Coordinates of all heavy atoms in Angstrom, one line a residue:
M1 N -51.8 -17.7 16.7 CA -51.6 -17.4 15.3 C -52.6 -18.3 14.5 O -52.6 -19.5 14.7 CB -50.2 -17.7 14.9 CG -49.7 -16.9 13.7 SD -48.1 -17.4 13.3 CE -47.3 -15.9 13.4
T2 N -53.3 -17.8 13.6 CA -54.2 -18.6 12.7 C -53.5 -19.0 11.4 O -52.8 -18.2 10.9 CB -55.5 -17.8 12.4 OG1 -55.2 -16.7 11.7 CG2 -56.2 -17.4 13.7
Q3 N -53.9 -20.2 11.0 CA -53.3 -20.7 9.7 C -54.4 -20.5 8.6 O -55.5 -20.8 8.8 CB -53.0 -22.1 9.9 CG -52.5 -22.7 8.6 CD -52.2 -24.2 8.8 OE1 -52.4 -24.8 9.8 NE2 -51.7 -24.8 7.7
K4 N -53.9 -19.9 7.5 CA -54.8 -19.7 6.4 C -54.8 -20.9 5.5 O -53.7 -21.4 5.2 CB -54.4 -18.4 5.6 CG -54.6 -17.2 6.4 CD -54.3 -16.0 5.5 CE -54.5 -14.7 6.3 NZ -54.2 -13.5 5.5
N5 N -56.0 -21.3 5.1 CA -56.1 -22.4 4.1 C -56.1 -21.9 2.7 O -57.0 -21.0 2.4 CB -57.3 -23.3 4.4 CG -57.2 -24.0 5.7 OD1 -56.1 -24.4 6.1 ND2 -58.3 -24.3 6.3
Y6 N -55.2 -22.3 1.9 CA -55.2 -21.9 0.5 C -55.6 -23.0 -0.5 O -55.4 -24.2 -0.2 CB -53.8 -21.4 0.1 CG -53.3 -20.2 0.8 CD1 -52.4 -20.2 1.9 CD2 -53.8 -18.9 0.4 CE1 -52.0 -19.1 2.6 CE2 -53.4 -17.8 1.1 CZ -52.5 -17.9 2.2 OH -52.1 -16.8 2.8
I7 N -56.3 -22.6 -1.5 CA -56.7 -23.6 -2.6 C -55.5 -23.8 -3.5 O -54.8 -22.8 -3.9 CB -57.9 -23.0 -3.3 CG1 -59.1 -22.8 -2.4 CG2 -58.2 -24.0 -4.5 CD1 -60.2 -22.2 -3.1
H8 N -55.2 -25.0 -3.7 CA -54.0 -25.3 -4.6 C -54.3 -24.9 -6.0 O -55.4 -24.9 -6.5 CB -53.8 -26.9 -4.6 CG -52.4 -27.3 -5.1 ND1 -52.2 -27.5 -6.4 CD2 -51.3 -27.5 -4.4 CE1 -50.9 -27.8 -6.6 NE2 -50.4 -27.8 -5.4
S9 N -53.3 -24.4 -6.7 CA -53.4 -23.9 -8.1 C -53.9 -24.9 -9.1 O -54.5 -24.6 -10.1 CB -52.1 -23.3 -8.5 OG -51.1 -24.3 -8.5
F10 N -53.7 -26.2 -8.8 CA -54.3 -27.3 -9.6 C -55.8 -27.1 -9.8 O -56.3 -27.3 -10.9 CB -53.9 -28.6 -9.1 CG -54.7 -29.8 -9.7 CD1 -54.3 -30.2 -11.0 CD2 -55.8 -30.4 -9.1 CE1 -55.0 -31.2 -11.6 CE2 -56.5 -31.4 -9.7 CZ -56.1 -31.8 -11.0
W11 N -56.5 -26.8 -8.7 CA -57.9 -26.7 -8.7 C -58.4 -25.5 -9.5 O -59.4 -25.5 -10.2 CB -58.5 -26.7 -7.3 CG -58.3 -28.0 -6.6 CD1 -57.4 -28.2 -5.6 CD2 -58.9 -29.2 -7.0 NE1 -57.4 -29.5 -5.3 CE2 -58.3 -30.2 -6.1 CE3 -59.8 -29.7 -7.9 CZ2 -58.7 -31.5 -6.1 CZ3 -60.1 -31.0 -7.9 CH2 -59.6 -31.9 -7.1
Y12 N -57.6 -24.4 -9.5 CA -57.9 -23.2 -10.3 C -57.8 -23.6 -11.8 O -58.6 -23.2 -12.6 CB -57.0 -22.1 -9.9 CG -57.4 -21.4 -8.6 CD1 -56.5 -21.4 -7.6 CD2 -58.6 -20.7 -8.5 CE1 -56.8 -20.8 -6.4 CE2 -58.9 -20.1 -7.3 CZ -58.0 -20.1 -6.3 OH -58.3 -19.5 -5.1
A13 N -56.7 -24.3 -12.1 CA -56.4 -24.6 -13.5 C -57.5 -25.6 -14.0 O -58.0 -25.5 -15.1 CB -55.0 -25.3 -13.6
L14 N -57.9 -26.6 -13.2 CA -58.9 -27.5 -13.6 C -60.2 -26.8 -13.8 O -60.9 -27.1 -14.8 CB -59.0 -28.6 -12.5 CG -60.0 -29.7 -12.8 CD1 -59.5 -30.6 -14.0 CD2 -60.2 -30.6 -11.6
T15 N -60.6 -25.9 -12.9 CA -61.8 -25.2 -13.1 C -61.8 -24.3 -14.3 O -62.8 -24.2 -15.0 CB -62.1 -24.3 -11.8 OG1 -62.1 -25.2 -10.7 CG2 -63.4 -23.6 -11.9
D16 N -60.7 -23.6 -14.6 CA -60.5 -22.8 -15.8 C -60.7 -23.7 -17.0 O -61.3 -23.3 -18.0 CB -59.2 -22.1 -15.8 CG -59.1 -20.9 -14.9 OD1 -60.2 -20.4 -14.6 OD2 -58.0 -20.5 -14.6
Y17 N -60.1 -24.9 -17.0 CA -60.2 -25.8 -18.2 C -61.7 -26.2 -18.4 O -62.2 -26.1 -19.5 CB -59.3 -27.0 -18.1 CG -59.3 -27.8 -19.3 CD1 -58.5 -27.6 -20.3 CD2 -60.2 -28.9 -19.5 CE1 -58.5 -28.3 -21.5 CE2 -60.3 -29.6 -20.6 CZ -59.4 -29.3 -21.6 OH -59.4 -30.1 -22.8
F18 N -62.3 -26.5 -17.3 CA -63.7 -27.0 -17.4 C -64.6 -25.8 -17.9 O -65.5 -26.1 -18.7 CB -64.2 -27.5 -16.0 CG -65.7 -27.9 -16.0 CD1 -66.0 -29.1 -16.7 CD2 -66.6 -27.1 -15.4 CE1 -67.4 -29.5 -16.7 CE2 -67.9 -27.5 -15.4 CZ -68.3 -28.7 -16.1
M19 N -64.4 -24.6 -17.4 CA -65.2 -23.5 -17.8 C -64.9 -23.1 -19.3 O -65.9 -22.7 -20.0 CB -65.0 -22.3 -16.9 CG -65.5 -22.6 -15.5 SD -67.2 -23.3 -15.4 CE -68.1 -21.9 -15.9
G20 N -63.7 -23.3 -19.7 CA -63.4 -23.0 -21.1 C -64.0 -24.1 -22.0 O -64.5 -23.8 -23.1
F21 N -64.1 -25.3 -21.5 CA -64.8 -26.4 -22.2 C -66.2 -26.1 -22.4 O -66.8 -26.2 -23.5 CB -64.5 -27.7 -21.4 CG -65.4 -28.8 -21.8 CD1 -65.0 -29.7 -22.8 CD2 -66.6 -29.1 -21.1 CE1 -65.8 -30.8 -23.1 CE2 -67.4 -30.2 -21.5 CZ -67.0 -31.0 -22.5
M22 N -66.9 -25.6 -21.3 CA -68.3 -25.4 -21.3 C -68.6 -24.1 -22.2 O -69.6 -24.2 -23.0 CB -68.8 -25.1 -19.9 CG -68.7 -26.3 -19.0 SD -69.7 -27.7 -19.6 CE -71.3 -27.0 -19.3
A23 N -67.7 -23.1 -22.2 CA -68.0 -22.0 -23.0 C -67.8 -22.3 -24.5 O -68.6 -21.9 -25.3 CB -67.0 -20.8 -22.6
W24 N -66.8 -23.1 -24.8 CA -66.6 -23.5 -26.2 C -67.8 -24.3 -26.7 O -68.3 -24.1 -27.8 CB -65.3 -24.2 -26.4 CG -65.1 -24.7 -27.8 CD1 -65.3 -26.0 -28.3 CD2 -64.8 -23.9 -29.0 NE1 -65.1 -26.0 -29.6 CE2 -64.8 -24.8 -30.1 CE3 -64.6 -22.6 -29.1 CZ2 -64.5 -24.3 -31.3 CZ3 -64.3 -22.1 -30.4 CH2 -64.3 -23.0 -31.5
M25 N -68.3 -25.2 -25.9 CA -69.4 -26.0 -26.3 C -70.7 -25.2 -26.5 O -71.4 -25.3 -27.4 CB -69.7 -27.1 -25.2 CG -70.4 -28.3 -25.7 SD -70.4 -29.7 -24.6 CE -71.3 -29.0 -23.2
G26 N -70.9 -24.2 -25.6 CA -72.0 -23.3 -25.7 C -72.0 -22.5 -27.0 O -72.9 -22.3 -27.7
F27 N -70.8 -21.9 -27.2 CA -70.6 -21.1 -28.4 C -70.8 -21.9 -29.7 O -71.3 -21.4 -30.7 CB -69.3 -20.3 -28.4 CG -69.3 -19.2 -27.5 CD1 -68.2 -19.0 -26.6 CD2 -70.3 -18.2 -27.5 CE1 -68.2 -17.9 -25.7 CE2 -70.3 -17.1 -26.6 CZ -69.2 -17.0 -25.7
Y28 N -70.3 -23.1 -29.7 CA -70.3 -24.0 -30.8 C -71.8 -24.3 -31.2 O -72.2 -24.1 -32.4 CB -69.6 -25.3 -30.6 CG -69.6 -26.3 -31.7 CD1 -68.7 -26.2 -32.7 CD2 -70.6 -27.3 -31.7 CE1 -68.7 -27.1 -33.8 CE2 -70.6 -28.2 -32.8 CZ -69.6 -28.1 -33.8 OH -69.7 -29.0 -34.8
F29 N -72.6 -24.7 -30.2 CA -74.0 -25.0 -30.5 C -74.8 -23.8 -30.8 O -75.8 -23.8 -31.6 CB -74.6 -25.8 -29.3 CG -74.1 -27.2 -29.3 CD1 -73.4 -27.7 -28.2 CD2 -74.2 -28.1 -30.4 CE1 -72.9 -29.0 -28.1 CE2 -73.7 -29.3 -30.4 CZ -73.1 -29.8 -29.2
Y30 N -74.5 -22.6 -30.2 CA -75.2 -21.4 -30.5 C -74.9 -21.0 -31.9 O -75.8 -20.6 -32.6 CB -74.7 -20.3 -29.5 CG -75.3 -19.0 -29.7 CD1 -76.7 -18.8 -29.4 CD2 -74.6 -17.9 -30.2 CE1 -77.3 -17.6 -29.7 CE2 -75.2 -16.7 -30.5 CZ -76.6 -16.5 -30.2 OH -77.1 -15.3 -30.4
R31 N -73.7 -21.1 -32.3 CA -73.3 -20.7 -33.7 C -74.0 -21.7 -34.7 O -74.6 -21.2 -35.7 CB -71.8 -20.9 -33.9 CG -71.4 -20.5 -35.3 CD -69.9 -20.6 -35.5 NE -69.3 -21.9 -35.2 CZ -69.1 -22.8 -36.1 NH1 -69.4 -22.6 -37.4 NH2 -68.6 -24.0 -35.8
K32 N -74.1 -23.0 -34.4 CA -74.8 -23.9 -35.2 C -76.3 -23.6 -35.3 O -76.9 -23.7 -36.4 CB -74.7 -25.3 -34.7 CG -73.3 -25.9 -34.9 CD -72.9 -26.1 -36.3 CE -71.6 -26.8 -36.5 NZ -71.3 -27.2 -37.8
S33 N -76.9 -23.1 -34.2 CA -78.3 -22.8 -34.3 C -78.6 -21.5 -35.0 O -79.6 -21.4 -35.7 CB -78.9 -22.7 -32.9 OG -78.4 -21.7 -32.2
I34 N -77.7 -20.5 -34.9 CA -77.8 -19.2 -35.6 C -77.7 -19.5 -37.1 O -78.4 -18.9 -37.9 CB -76.8 -18.2 -35.1 CG1 -77.1 -17.8 -33.7 CG2 -76.7 -17.0 -36.0 CD1 -78.4 -17.1 -33.5
L35 N -76.8 -20.3 -37.5 CA -76.5 -20.6 -39.0 C -77.5 -21.6 -39.6 O -77.3 -22.0 -40.7 CB -75.1 -21.0 -39.2 CG -74.0 -19.9 -38.8 CD1 -72.6 -20.5 -39.0 CD2 -74.2 -18.7 -39.7
D36 N -78.4 -22.2 -38.7 CA -79.3 -23.2 -39.2 C -78.5 -24.4 -39.7 O -78.9 -25.0 -40.8 CB -80.3 -22.7 -40.2 CG -81.3 -21.8 -39.5 OD1 -81.6 -22.0 -38.3 OD2 -81.8 -20.9 -40.2
Q37 N -77.5 -24.8 -39.1 CA -76.7 -26.0 -39.5 C -77.1 -27.1 -38.5 O -77.4 -26.9 -37.4 CB -75.2 -25.7 -39.4 CG -74.7 -24.7 -40.4 CD -73.3 -24.4 -40.3 OE1 -72.6 -24.8 -39.3 NE2 -72.7 -23.7 -41.3
P38 N -76.9 -28.4 -39.0 CA -77.2 -29.5 -38.1 C -76.2 -29.6 -37.0 O -75.0 -29.2 -37.2 CB -77.1 -30.7 -39.0 CG -76.3 -30.3 -40.2 CD -76.5 -28.8 -40.4
W39 N -76.6 -30.0 -35.9 CA -75.7 -30.1 -34.7 C -74.9 -31.4 -34.7 O -74.9 -32.2 -33.9 CB -76.5 -30.1 -33.4 CG -77.1 -28.8 -33.1 CD1 -77.3 -27.7 -33.9 CD2 -77.6 -28.4 -31.8 NE1 -77.8 -26.7 -33.3 CE2 -78.1 -27.1 -32.0 CE3 -77.8 -29.0 -30.6 CZ2 -78.7 -26.4 -30.9 CZ3 -78.4 -28.3 -29.6 CH2 -78.8 -27.0 -29.7
A40 N -74.1 -31.5 -35.8 CA -73.2 -32.7 -35.9 C -72.0 -32.5 -35.1 O -71.3 -31.5 -35.3 CB -72.9 -32.9 -37.4
I41 N -71.7 -33.5 -34.3 CA -70.5 -33.4 -33.5 C -69.4 -34.2 -34.3 O -69.6 -35.4 -34.4 CB -70.7 -34.0 -32.1 CG1 -71.7 -33.2 -31.3 CG2 -69.4 -34.1 -31.3 CD1 -72.1 -33.7 -30.0
N42 N -68.4 -33.5 -34.7 CA -67.4 -34.1 -35.6 C -66.0 -34.0 -35.0 O -65.9 -33.5 -33.8 CB -67.5 -33.6 -37.0 CG -67.4 -32.1 -37.0 OD1 -67.0 -31.4 -36.0 ND2 -67.7 -31.5 -38.1
Q43 N -65.0 -34.2 -35.8 CA -63.6 -34.2 -35.3 C -63.2 -32.7 -34.9 O -62.5 -32.5 -34.0 CB -62.7 -34.7 -36.3 CG -61.2 -34.8 -35.8 CD -60.3 -35.4 -36.9 OE1 -60.8 -35.7 -38.0 NE2 -59.1 -35.6 -36.5
K44 N -63.7 -31.8 -35.7 CA -63.4 -30.4 -35.4 C -64.0 -29.9 -34.0 O -63.4 -29.2 -33.3 CB -63.9 -29.4 -36.4 CG -63.2 -29.5 -37.7 CD -63.7 -28.5 -38.7 CE -62.9 -28.6 -40.0 NZ -63.4 -27.7 -41.0
F45 N -65.1 -30.5 -33.7 CA -65.7 -30.2 -32.3 C -64.8 -30.7 -31.2 O -64.5 -30.0 -30.3 CB -67.1 -30.8 -32.3 CG -67.7 -30.7 -30.9 CD1 -68.3 -29.5 -30.5 CD2 -67.8 -31.8 -30.0 CE1 -68.8 -29.4 -29.2 CE2 -68.3 -31.7 -28.8 CZ -68.9 -30.5 -28.4
Y46 N -64.4 -31.9 -31.3 CA -63.5 -32.5 -30.3 C -62.2 -31.8 -30.3 O -61.6 -31.6 -29.2 CB -63.4 -34.0 -30.5 CG -64.6 -34.8 -30.2 CD1 -65.2 -35.5 -31.2 CD2 -65.2 -34.8 -29.0 CE1 -66.4 -36.2 -30.9 CE2 -66.3 -35.5 -28.7 CZ -66.9 -36.2 -29.7 OH -68.1 -36.9 -29.4
L47 N -61.6 -31.4 -31.4 CA -60.4 -30.7 -31.4 C -60.5 -29.4 -30.7 O -59.6 -29.0 -30.0 CB -59.9 -30.6 -32.9 CG -58.5 -30.1 -33.1 CD1 -57.5 -31.2 -32.6 CD2 -58.3 -30.0 -34.6
G48 N -61.6 -28.7 -31.0 CA -61.8 -27.4 -30.3 C -62.0 -27.5 -28.9 O -61.6 -26.7 -28.1
I49 N -62.8 -28.6 -28.5 CA -63.0 -28.8 -27.0 C -61.7 -29.1 -26.3 O -61.6 -28.7 -25.1 CB -63.9 -30.1 -26.9 CG1 -65.3 -29.7 -27.2 CG2 -63.8 -30.7 -25.5 CD1 -66.1 -29.0 -26.1
F50 N -60.7 -29.7 -26.9 CA -59.4 -29.9 -26.3 C -58.5 -28.7 -26.4 O -57.9 -28.3 -25.4 CB -58.8 -31.2 -26.9 CG -57.4 -31.5 -26.3 CD1 -57.3 -31.9 -25.0 CD2 -56.3 -31.3 -27.0 CE1 -56.1 -32.2 -24.5 CE2 -55.0 -31.5 -26.5 CZ -54.9 -32.0 -25.2
L51 N -58.4 -28.1 -27.6 CA -57.3 -27.1 -27.8 C -57.7 -25.7 -27.3 O -56.8 -25.0 -26.8 CB -57.0 -27.1 -29.3 CG -56.2 -28.3 -29.8 CD1 -55.9 -28.1 -31.3 CD2 -55.0 -28.5 -29.1
I52 N -58.9 -25.3 -27.4 CA -59.3 -23.9 -27.0 C -59.1 -23.7 -25.5 O -58.4 -22.8 -25.1 CB -60.7 -23.6 -27.4 CG1 -60.9 -23.7 -29.0 CG2 -61.2 -22.3 -26.9 CD1 -60.1 -22.7 -29.7
P53 N -59.6 -24.6 -24.7 CA -59.4 -24.4 -23.2 C -57.9 -24.6 -22.9 O -57.4 -23.9 -22.0 CB -60.2 -25.5 -22.5 CG -61.2 -25.8 -23.5 CD -60.6 -25.7 -24.9
L54 N -57.2 -25.5 -23.6 CA -55.7 -25.6 -23.3 C -55.0 -24.4 -23.7 O -54.1 -24.0 -22.9 CB -55.2 -26.8 -24.1 CG -53.8 -27.3 -23.8 CD1 -53.7 -27.8 -22.4 CD2 -53.4 -28.3 -24.8
G55 N -55.4 -23.7 -24.7 CA -54.7 -22.5 -25.1 C -54.9 -21.4 -24.0 O -54.0 -20.6 -23.7
W56 N -56.2 -21.3 -23.5 CA -56.4 -20.4 -22.4 C -55.6 -20.7 -21.2 O -55.1 -19.8 -20.5 CB -57.9 -20.3 -22.1 CG -58.7 -19.5 -23.1 CD1 -59.5 -20.0 -24.0 CD2 -58.7 -18.1 -23.2 NE1 -60.1 -19.0 -24.8 CE2 -59.6 -17.8 -24.3 CE3 -58.0 -17.1 -22.6 CZ2 -59.8 -16.5 -24.7 CZ3 -58.3 -15.8 -23.0 CH2 -59.1 -15.5 -24.0
L57 N -55.5 -22.0 -20.9 CA -54.7 -22.3 -19.7 C -53.2 -21.9 -19.9 O -52.6 -21.5 -19.0 CB -54.7 -23.9 -19.5 CG -55.9 -24.4 -18.7 CD1 -55.8 -25.9 -18.6 CD2 -56.1 -23.7 -17.4
L58 N -52.7 -22.1 -21.1 CA -51.3 -21.7 -21.4 C -51.1 -20.2 -21.2 O -50.1 -19.7 -20.7 CB -50.9 -22.2 -22.7 CG -50.7 -23.7 -22.9 CD1 -50.4 -24.1 -24.3 CD2 -49.5 -24.2 -22.0
L59 N -52.1 -19.5 -21.7 CA -52.0 -18.0 -21.6 C -52.1 -17.6 -20.2 O -51.3 -16.7 -19.7 CB -53.2 -17.4 -22.4 CG -53.3 -15.9 -22.4 CD1 -52.1 -15.3 -23.1 CD2 -54.5 -15.4 -23.0
Y60 N -53.0 -18.2 -19.4 CA -53.1 -17.8 -18.0 C -51.8 -18.2 -17.2 O -51.3 -17.5 -16.3 CB -54.2 -18.6 -17.3 CG -55.6 -18.1 -17.7 CD1 -56.7 -19.0 -17.7 CD2 -55.9 -16.9 -18.2 CE1 -57.9 -18.7 -18.1 CE2 -57.1 -16.5 -18.6 CZ -58.1 -17.4 -18.5 OH -59.4 -17.0 -18.9
A61 N -51.2 -19.3 -17.6 CA -49.9 -19.8 -16.9 C -48.8 -18.8 -17.3 O -48.0 -18.5 -16.5 CB -49.6 -21.2 -17.3
L62 N -48.7 -18.4 -18.6 CA -47.7 -17.5 -19.0 C -47.8 -16.1 -18.3 O -46.8 -15.5 -18.0 CB -47.7 -17.3 -20.5 CG -47.2 -18.5 -21.3 CD1 -47.4 -18.2 -22.8 CD2 -45.7 -18.7 -21.0
V63 N -49.0 -15.7 -18.0 CA -49.2 -14.4 -17.4 C -48.9 -14.5 -15.9 O -48.6 -13.5 -15.2 CB -50.7 -14.0 -17.6 CG1 -51.0 -12.8 -16.7 CG2 -50.9 -13.6 -19.0
G64 N -49.0 -15.7 -15.3 CA -48.7 -16.0 -13.9 C -49.9 -16.0 -13.0 O -49.8 -15.7 -11.8
S65 N -51.0 -16.3 -13.6 CA -52.3 -16.3 -12.8 C -52.4 -17.4 -11.8 O -53.2 -17.4 -10.8 CB -53.5 -16.5 -13.7 OG -53.6 -15.4 -14.6
Y66 N -51.5 -18.5 -11.9 CA -51.6 -19.6 -11.0 C -50.6 -19.6 -9.9 O -50.3 -20.6 -9.3 CB -51.6 -20.9 -11.8 CG -52.7 -21.1 -12.8 CD1 -52.4 -21.2 -14.1 CD2 -54.0 -21.0 -12.3 CE1 -53.5 -21.4 -15.0 CE2 -55.0 -21.1 -13.3 CZ -54.8 -21.3 -14.6 OH -55.8 -21.4 -15.5
H67 N -50.0 -18.4 -9.6 CA -49.1 -18.4 -8.5 C -49.7 -17.8 -7.2 O -50.5 -17.0 -7.2 CB -47.9 -17.5 -8.8 CG -47.0 -18.1 -9.9 ND1 -46.0 -19.0 -9.5 CD2 -46.9 -17.9 -11.2 CE1 -45.4 -19.4 -10.6 NE2 -45.9 -18.8 -11.6

């Protein structure tokens, strides 16, 4: 009988958070360049970096994606 190795759901959640972080950062700087605004990193940037990926993680957890 062979044993299957499964990836722990923590690693899926961590990867989802990191990718949400990268996507938010990319969209933030893309929007700044389209609107010709300076690339100032302020409190709203850091708040978005933390809350947007966290919101996606909560949605994924509520749907049951990490089971």
Side-chain angles (χ1 to χ4, degrees):
M1 205 186 239
T2 62
Q3 180 181 359
K4 293 183 179 182
N5 292 331
Y6 293 103
I7 299 173
H8 197 273
S9 59
F10 168 77
W11 294 110
Y12 286 116
L14 184 66
T15 303
D16 282 341
Y17 186 85
F18 179 71
M19 295 312 291
F21 168 86
M22 295 299 290
W24 176 255
M25 200 166 66
F27 286 131
Y28 180 84
F29 289 122
Y30 180 69
R31 180 177 61 91
K32 290 290 187 176
S33 67
I34 292 295
L35 298 176
D36 288 329
Q37 295 177 348
W39 288 16
I41 297 176
N42 53 15
Q43 184 179 5
K44 288 183 181 181
F45 173 77
Y46 289 118
L47 194 62
I49 283 284
F50 178 71
L51 291 180
I52 299 297
L54 188 64
W56 281 108
L57 280 181
L58 289 174
L59 180 66
Y60 293 152
L62 288 173
V63 171
S65 297
Y66 299 123
H67 288 281

